[in-house]
């Protein structure tokens, strides 16, 4: 299996760099969820070797809307790097993606290192701030279709993120309205309560998953809590914004150039 881990990790890394989709692996050479996280780690190691820097972690499938859209029903996590950071209000180059989608998220930045599982009561104490955010996901698999193991191996489709202005108000997060707009039109509406009942639960979950993987997350790391609604496909020139009531908004404009291949929407 170790050769398979290296082979799949290399293929996924190449697909991401070249923005070329791959067939799912799990259908032809099945692997376990533990092996999927090993593939994820091996593929990220290639990026770190090339100078990319880890800036935090993301959770996936923390809302029912996302689970239903993608047909997957377990929480997953992956890595965020500096190369994924896009400027709030900036232009995002669609040329580096295969079939990108955007989804509304809540982003935390940690104040203390997370080295053990946290309770929900202590979670806020580990945080410096929270901000409205947009995640750009771009599955490396054809037609954006995958099994749970495939998507974990693919670093949970992580590709980009835009983070808005930071706030220290964690109390308002329980049930804040979430709107995602494309060209000013509301395309997704929801609530932060859709994220595991409360976005702080994502932090608790992240701490448990990291402890299980024997990973300590340094202070100053970003944690993306997972999308509150389904994701929307990005198209050339589109302006995407996300507003979280009480926390403001963030957004970006897609470059005019076409992405190499547009995926099908779930
Ligand atoms: C996997 C990533 C899921 C989220 O916020 O739920 C995710 C995908 O949908 O391709 O990032
Ligand atoms: Mg996400």
């Amino acid at each position: 299996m170790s050769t398979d881990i290296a082979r799949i990790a290399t293929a996924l890394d190449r697909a991401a760099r070249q923005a070329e989709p791959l067939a799912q692996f799990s259908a032809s050479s099945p692997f376990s969820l533990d092996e999927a996280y090993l593939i994820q780690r091996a593929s990220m190691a290639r990026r770190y070797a090339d100078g990319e820097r880890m800036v935090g972690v993301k959770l996936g499938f923390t809302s029912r809307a996302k689970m239903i859209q993608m047909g997957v029903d377990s929480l997953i996590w992956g890595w965020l790097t500096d190369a994924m950071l896009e400027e709030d209000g900036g232009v995002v180059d669609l040329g580096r993606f295969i079939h990108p989608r955007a989804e509304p998220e809540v982003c935390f930045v940690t104040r203390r290192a997370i080295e053990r599982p946290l309770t929900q009561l202590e979670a806020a104490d580990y945080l410096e701030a929270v901000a409205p955010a947009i995640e750009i996901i771009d599955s490396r698999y054809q037609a954006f279709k995958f099994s749970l193991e495939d998507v974990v191996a693919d670093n949970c489709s992580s590709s980009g993120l835009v983070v808005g202005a930071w706030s220290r108000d964690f109390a308002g997060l329980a049930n804040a309205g979430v709107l995602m707009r494309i060209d000013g039109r509301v395309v997704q509406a929801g609530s932060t309560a859709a994220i595991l009942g409360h976005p702080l639960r994502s932090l608790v979950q992240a701490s448990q998953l990291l402890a299980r993987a024997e990973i300590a997350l340094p202070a100053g790391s970003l944690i993306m809590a997972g999308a509150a609604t389904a994701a929307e496909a990005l198209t050339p020139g589109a302006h995407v914004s996300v507003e979280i009531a009480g926390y403001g908004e963030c957004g970006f404009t897609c470059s005019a150039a076409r992405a190499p291949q547009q995926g099908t929407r779930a």
Side-chain angles (χ1 to χ4, degrees):
M1 186 65 208
S2 63
T3 52
D4 271 0
I5 287 174
R7 178 178 62 81
I8 298 173
T10 305
L12 282 165
D13 180 49
R14 275 208 195 117
R17 287 173 202 249
Q18 295 167 0
E20 274 171 18
L22 290 170
Q24 289 178 54
F25 292 104
S26 63
S28 55
S29 41
F31 49 83
S32 69
L33 194 57
D34 285 345
E35 286 164 340
Y37 279 105
L38 292 177
I39 295 167
Q40 181 193 96
R41 242 197 242 202
S43 135
M44 293 311 292
R46 294 173 59 90
R47 301 203 203 172
Y48 300 140
D50 275 359
E52 264 179 65
R53 201 168 48 81
M54 190 278 282
V55 296
V57 294
K58 64 163 272 188
L59 291 190
F61 305 131
T62 51
S63 68
R64 279 196 55 72
K66 277 293 299 187
M67 290 185 191
I68 291 166
Q69 183 181 33
M70 303 317 295
V72 172
D73 60 6
S74 297
L75 209 144
I76 57 174
W77 71 279
W79 298 99
L80 302 172
T81 74
D82 60 342
M84 299 176 193
L85 297 171
E86 298 283 355
E87 205 183 323
D88 183 19
V91 174
V92 170
D93 176 12
L94 291 192
R96 71 178 184 88
F97 305 111
I98 301 166
H99 36 205
R101 298 176 179 182
E103 52 190 28
E105 300 237 0
V106 165
C107 184
F108 296 114
V109 62
T110 59
R111 187 168 72 84
R112 298 162 64 176
I114 297 179
E115 294 163 329
R116 61 174 176 82
L118 304 178
T119 65
Q120 201 177 334
L121 212 56
E122 3 176 58
D125 205 34
Y126 279 72
L127 293 175
E128 182 68 38
V130 59
I134 304 173
E135 184 177 21
I136 301 171
I137 50 171
D138 189 34
S139 175
R140 266 56 71 167
Y141 300 112
Q142 282 155 7
F144 228 112
K145 292 270 183 291
F146 43 67
S147 67
L148 185 68
E149 291 79 15
D150 283 323
V151 67
V152 165
D154 184 25
N155 195 31
C156 308
S157 310
S158 308
S159 271
L161 65 149
V162 170
V163 181
W166 295 106
S167 155
R168 287 183 203 276
D169 169 23
F170 301 109
L173 272 184
N175 188 6
V178 175
L179 293 175
M180 181 158 72
R181 295 184 174 90
I182 295 187
D183 295 332
R185 194 172 56 86
V186 173
V187 289
Q188 291 287 342
S191 160
T192 54
I195 306 166
L196 297 175
H198 193 306
L200 278 182
R201 292 220 177 100
S202 283
L203 184 70
V204 172
Q205 289 291 334
S207 70
Q208 289 171 359
L209 293 162
L210 288 164
R212 203 174 304 154
E214 298 182 348
I215 291 163
L217 197 66
S221 298
L222 302 181
I223 298 181
M224 294 281 273
T229 73
E232 292 284 334
L234 295 182
T235 51
H239 179 72
V240 183
S241 66
V242 162
E243 180 184 352
I244 301 190
Y247 292 88
E249 65 172 78
C250 61
F252 64 90
T253 303
C254 299
S255 64
R258 270 209 97 70
Q261 187 180 330
Q262 298 291 316
T264 51
R265 272 190 59 187

